[in-house]
Every structure is written in structure tokens, then in C-alpha cells.
Amino acid sequence: MYPSDYEFDLVLRTGEVGRFRPIKPSDAADLVDFFDRLGVESRYFRFFRAKARLTDEEVEYFTNVDYQSRMAFVVYLDEMMVGVGRYDAQEVGTAETAFAVADDHQGKGIGTQLLQLMTAYARSHGVEQFRAFVLPDNLQMMRVFRNSGYELHRTLEEGVYNVDFPVALSEDARSASDRREQMAIAASILPIFFPRAIAVVGASRDDASIGGRLLRNLMAAGFGGTVYPINPKAKHVQGLTAYPTIGDVPGPVDLAIIAVPARYVLDVARQCGEQRVRGLVVISAGFSEVGGEGEAREQELLNVVRNAGMRMVGPNCMGVLNTDPAVSLNATFAPRFPPRGNIAMSSQSGALGIAILDYARRNNIGISSFVSVGNKADVSGNDLLLSWEDDPATDVIVLYLESFGNPRRFSRIARRIAAKKPILAVKSGRTSAGSRAASSHTGALASTDVAVDALFRQTGVIRTDTLEELFDIASLLASQPLPAGRRVAVVTNAGGPGILAADAIEAAGLELPEFSKTLQDALAEGLPAEAAIRNPVDLIASAGPAQYAHALGCIGESDEVDSVIGIYIPTTESGADDIAEEVMKVSRRFAGQKTMAAVVMEAGGTAASLSDDRLTIPVYQFPEDAARAVAKATDYAEWRARPQGEFPTFPDFDLDALRSTVDAALTRLEGGEGWLEAAEVERLLAAAGLRVPRSVVATGEDAAVAGAAQIGTAVAMKVISDDALHKSDVGGVVLDVEGEEAVRAAYRQVTDAVGVAEGVLVQEMIGGDHEVLVGMTEDPSFGSLLVFGLGGVFVELLGDVTFRINPITDLEAEEMISEVKASRLLAGYRNVPAGDVDATREALLRVSRLVEAVPEMTEMDLNPVKVLAPGEGVVVVDARIRIRPVAEGWSPELADIPSLAGSPRSIVESAGDRS
């Protein structure tokens, strides 16, 4: 079957958007036209001889592939075929590959993108190695192979290079792909942020209208390029010559701002495509946000945009702005233009975007660029992250999110960028109906918000609860160095605020160290005898500029703290300004070495007083706000400094046994969906290297007695029934059973506890002082979520659990264990002996690998998992696993393709969306 899952819109090195898809028999005419447009040298490099035309037999062979051993992809730009890549299997695990790219489109990265797409497809179809035959003069093709990051093995035979390379995605190949993606996306969005000429379609003489405000804001901001108002009913708009259509504009246009009724937007977009406009910002509403016809209209608009190779912000958005003086772009209808700064922002809500820009201006928060993404039909938050990754004007990235279009791609991009630049996010929907009917402990504990928290924790994104908190933290990160540690000093002229700050600091997990005698003596030399000098430093109410300068100077130049919070309550009308001047003077001595925050407990314009060309100290109104900002910055600094962690492999992991067990279960289950039988669960766990107790399934009392005798120790007896998913809740479990009569009585007890019993699991009784839960549930947007926590019946009662999005590294497994409050018990606490923490961590990693290897898995509960004494390992005492078939054509290799939002067959890069 035609693999429609492999249709993608990919961005080229030049910023153009190409449509990549498998070849079809109906492409025959386009293939002939493509060949005819190839130059003589390109034909020679491809066929190793002068070739005038393709024969009918060749056309049929090239366009009729079996999508298995023979595969080909084509690339279209402006609805014209410009590239072809193919492979043919030659022997087991090896395929010969070849490419051709139209002469006038070479150097755009088409061949590299084709190679990435073909290797991803080949990996999912049993191909392990590509082989290419390349003429020595074909430097372009050799460059494609070399730049792709694959390990090449090249030999020269009879004047032709034989190039072999594995198609496995190595770290070098992934890094090269990530870099190509970043450069291509940034290039494609450049005309939106840095246009030379803008057309405002729907420009109006009415200042109160959207089109009127857009044009007025463009002019008021001092846009450095040319502005063309488009209005078929006016010759002049706001003093500028107007044009009936964009086709009537006398010069080239980079960016079109569209503010016309939804029914006209498609025609306008087509005209923009015809005029080679590079970017669109569609303000108009009436698309997918209204459902029904609006969704179809939006998809048609996206097709127009993609076919023309344009990029689009919106529709249903507020616009974009760029404060760079070379551009001074305000293509929004917001009433205020923010000051220039180093914070880039994206908002999914247009109305909220207006409030955000207003807040930024009132609080002197500098913005580098701002985008209201609207419906995110094309340009998404992921694209903006990539464009800001290497933007020299942006040091901090701020996001307001209502949804994720592609969480797995966000994870991959954000993790890399957050290692260089802080990303802050307000994600709405914490209290929305994220819970869903679930039949496992893990499913009941998980929610959409849990998944978001896990995603942000793993990627280093700083999550905030409110917009005010977001700006508090952003201001600190944009102006101050990251804290070098968790030690904080507080300097205040009032005891009450100092106590509030101390409480907030310790509540946030920071330290308020008592100063050494040396530092206290230094402080005492310049302060009145009544001052407190231990930390917090209370200068008393009469403190003036000299006292603040002395205290801050002593603390700032010491090595006993990492961050300093200065608090001032004005005692005179001019006191705040005098203090601010002295604080700035002394702070310059240790700027860049200590993280500084100020608290001025008055309503006024002091914020501007703590900023100059060399230094900015963020100002907060209350001590708790400053403490929270410093704490978030410290947590982020620690995340950046930590090692990345590794994804370990296990030599004893039996993939063949896993697949055979799952395939057999899919055949057995009606519709291929349901809970695995106890024996199937045991086989899966054993194949993953997870230890389970010896057990026997008994369907009668005599069989239970025989099974217990075979095990030879005390046993646990557990009913097997669809009526008892949580067996202990209904009395379906009896522990520590010994002797024939006890076994018979326990059999009757557990089977009588349910309506229909399929049998009883007679299981070796496992001791141990610790029980934990390891589980997995499938989130519809984020994929597989792993959970770890306190086991047994206390899981849902106490909720002492932590989540991560799968897969996890060895470092993340350690973090999951340490984050659970009960983890102190595993290390040994009072009279409770220690458990095998190393084996617990390994069990988490093995479960992570198991979930990756079995994409059919939707729910898993390993509860309880007995943690034995150190060195003795862990044992999975009870387990349930639910599976379902994956959608036809789904493959994990799709996650490697950097497709744009709204691709012809949009694939969210997570196993959770495979159904």
C-alpha cells in the first residue's frame, strides 16, 4: 500500500518549503519532465553515461515501486518535481541508493533531506546499510553523504567510488539533522521578522478598525522598509498610496499582513503566492477556531501557502513585532509598543498578547520580538524556538501555551535550546478535565497536566503558574547571571520583610546561611550597633545609601553567598532614588558574579532607577516574588549544569521473545485489544530481564494444592478475573498461605470474592520491607508516561509518585527515585533497613526499554514491586499489561522527520498518537 504516513512538508536550507512524499505511478509525466530539465552533467552523474531520454520501460520501473524492497521519494516545489531519491534492495540488509536534483535547485539541501527521509523509511523496513556508486567528479553527492553525519566507508573501484554507510541514526547524524533543521526553519521565518517591504491587505482609513490600527502601528513604530496599503476602494490610506490588489504593487513584497474577512483570505493568499511573497501574517478569524467549514477553509489556506513555498503566522492571530532598530516592526493591532530588550515571546492567545505587551511596557520589560501564533496552522511554537535559538538579540524565551501541536518535537528542540537559553512557559489548563477513566493505578494517577510537568522537567523549561510570576522570573534571567549555588543573602531596612524573605527562601529550597565571623565583623564596621548582621542583615529603618552600599559591598565581594536580595521600605519621599543610585554604584563591582534582585515596597517608578547601559537589577514589590524568581533561576542553573545522562542498553534484553509474545496476544485478543494473561505478562517481564516470583495458574483446588507444593514455600494466592482489576480491593488476594487446607480455603475465599473467576495465581511468597510501584500509561498527546512511587495499597491514597515521559535516561531514573518522599525509606530510615536502590533504578530503566520495544502497550502496572536488601535485587510481585494494535503505517522512525505543522499526513511524533 502507498505509505501516506510518509508525506511531509519540509523546510529547505533556503527557507523554501518542499513537499516530500513517496512516488506514485501517476507521477510518470512529472518524472519525464523532471529528467528533461536535468542538465547533461546531472544526467551523467546519475546514470554514468550520456542519456537523452527515459524509456517507457524505465519510467514504469521508476514509478512503480513495491514500497518495501524498492522505494522512491519525490520532492515538489511550486507544484513542480525538483528531486528524486530511491533505493533498491540488493541483498539482505543492504540497498543501493541514488539521487537526482534539478540543476536550478541544487544547493538547497534537497538531497540531504531526501537521504534523511529514506534512511528513516529504510530502518523501519529491515534495511541496515545503504550503498551508493558515485563518480569522483560528483562532489555535490559526496558532500550530501558527508554532511549527513553518517559514517562513510569509501573505496575506489574502476574509477567509481563505492560508498557504504549504516542507516542507523547515530549521534552525529542526529546532530547534523538538528542543525540543518534549525538553520532551515530560521531562514524560512526570516522574512516575517526582517521584511524589506510589507503589504497590508485590508488597510483602512478608519483608525478604529483592525486594518487601520495595523497600518498606523507600522508607521508609528518607524518601520525601516516600504509599506504598501492594499485597499480596492481608496487611492490613499493614512497618507500612503494604496493599491487595489497586491498584484498592483510596483515592487517586491516580503511580508503580507492580511486583515480581510475570512471568505476573501484564500484569494488574497493565492495572489501573494503568485507575487512571490515570502511570509504571511493572517489576522483574519473564521477558521479552525470556529470548527466545521472553518477547519476546511484553514486546511485549504495551508495548502495554498505550502504550494507557494510561503510561511504563515496565524490565522486568527494578533500579529508580530520586532524591536530591532534596523526593522522597528510592529505588525500588530496592540495599542502599545514595548521597549527593546532581550526577551522573545510567543502567545497562543491574541487577547492575552495585548495584555502581555501592555504589562511589558508598564514594567519596563524589554522585548526582542513577539509573535501571536493564533491557530498555528503553519508557524508553530517549535518553529519560533528554532528561529530564536541562535538569535543574538534574544537571551530569554517566554511562551504562553494552551496546547502542544507536537510534544515530542518540542521535547527534542526545547531540551537542546534550554541548555543555552532559558525557556519560560505558562501552560494553561492545570485544572481542566485531564483525568480520564482508567483501569490501572498508573492511569488513575496520570493527567494531562502531569504530562506537561514531566515534559517541562525533562527539557529544562521553567514552568510558572501566573503571567506575573513569568515576568518576575524572566526579568531576573534577562538581566542577571545564573546563580552559582543555592546560598542567598538578604539585606533589608525592616525586620518584617526580612523574615518574609527568609521564609520564602527556605520554602523554595534555597539556603540562608549564617555569615562567618569574618564577614560579620566586616559588616559591623560600617553599620550601627543596632543592626543585625547574621543574615538576613537588618540595617534598621534609619539606614541610608551609605549603609546599603557598605552591606552590599561586603556581601557581594565575599564567597559565602551566590545571590543577594536587597529590600527597601522608603522612609522618606526621596529615599528610594538615593538608595537606588548607591546600590547601582556598588553593584557594578560584582556584576556578573552574584545574582542580584531588589525589593522596593512602594508603588512608583523605582524600576527604571535600577537600570543603566551597564547593569539592570530587577525590582519586585514583595520579598516572596524575589525569592521565588531566584529559586526558579537556581533550579534552572542546576538543570543546565547537570550531566545529560545516557540511555543504557541491556545485553540480556530478548526482543524476539517480546515480539513473539505480543504478536501471539494480538492474535488471541478479540480486536487485538485487551489485558494480557498472567503467563503472557510473565514472559514479557522475563524477556525484559525483570524478575518475577515462581507461580502456577490453578483452575481448581486440587491444582492450587499441587502448585503450592511444586513451589515449595509459603505462597500468595490471587484471583484471576476481569471483575477484579484491583484484586486487594475486593478481597481477591490472600498472602502467606502454607499447608493443603490453608491453600484450599484461600482458593475458595478469593474465587468467592468475584462474580466470575478464571482461576487463581499461586505465587511464591516474596518478603522484603519495601514495596514500590512502576507503571506506564499512554497519554493521547505526549505518548508513554512512566510512573514511580510508593507501592501497595497506598499509591492512590498518598499519591507519592513522580512521572516522566518515556524514554528515560539513567540520570532521570535516579531523579524519579529521589523525588518520591518515601525514597528515604529505601536508603534506610530509623529501624527500617535499606533496600536495593541500584536494582530499583535498573528496573525503571528496563521498564523504559520494554515500553519502547512494545509500542502496542497502553497501560502497565507493576505493583507491588518488592525491593529486597542491597545486592539482592527487586521482584515484580503483581503485574498487569494492556495492549492494542498500532495503526497501520505507524513507525517510530517518523519521529526523526522534522515535518512542519499541518503536513499532508500530520504525524505527531509520539507513540501516543499512533492510534
Side-chain angles (χ1 to χ4, degrees), residues 202-266:
S204 173
R205 290 175 289 190
D206 180 3
D207 281 353
S209 69
I210 296 295
R213 279 185 280 166
L214 283 164
L215 184 59
R216 185 188 64 222
N217 284 353
L218 273 172
M219 304 306 296
F223 174 61
T226 306
V227 178
Y228 298 106
I230 307 299
N231 187 324
K233 298 181 180 179
K235 292 186 177 181
H236 295 86
V237 177
Q238 298 186 28
L240 298 175
T241 301
Y243 301 89
T245 71
I246 197 166
D248 298 309
V249 171
V253 173
D254 295 314
L255 177 65
I257 315 296
I258 302 177
V260 299
R263 62 183 180 276
Y264 300 124
V265 170
L266 284 171

Side-chain angles (χ1 to χ4, degrees), residues 5 81 132 155 252 346 356 391 487 638 640 653 669 678 880 885 889:
D5 287 326
M81 187 183 294
T155 58
S346 167
I356 287 172
D391 178 16
R487 303 170 301 171
E638 289 181 346
R640 259 177 58 160
F653 212 87
L669 291 166
R880 292 187 63 81

Side-chain angles (χ1 to χ4, degrees), residues 417-435:
I417 296 176
K420 300 181 289 185
K421 296 181 179 182
I423 303 173
L424 293 89
V426 171
K427 170 64 177 70
S428 61
R430 275 191 183 273
T431 59
S432 64
S435 61

Side-chain angles (χ1 to χ4, degrees), residues 478-481 584-592 610-617:
S479 60
Q480 292 291 308
M584 289 294 292
K585 186 184 301 182
V586 70
S587 296
R588 292 190 192 102
R589 300 209 305 262
F590 51 88
L610 289 177
S611 179
D612 58 27
D613 293 339
R614 295 171 54 192
L615 175 66
T616 295
I617 300 175

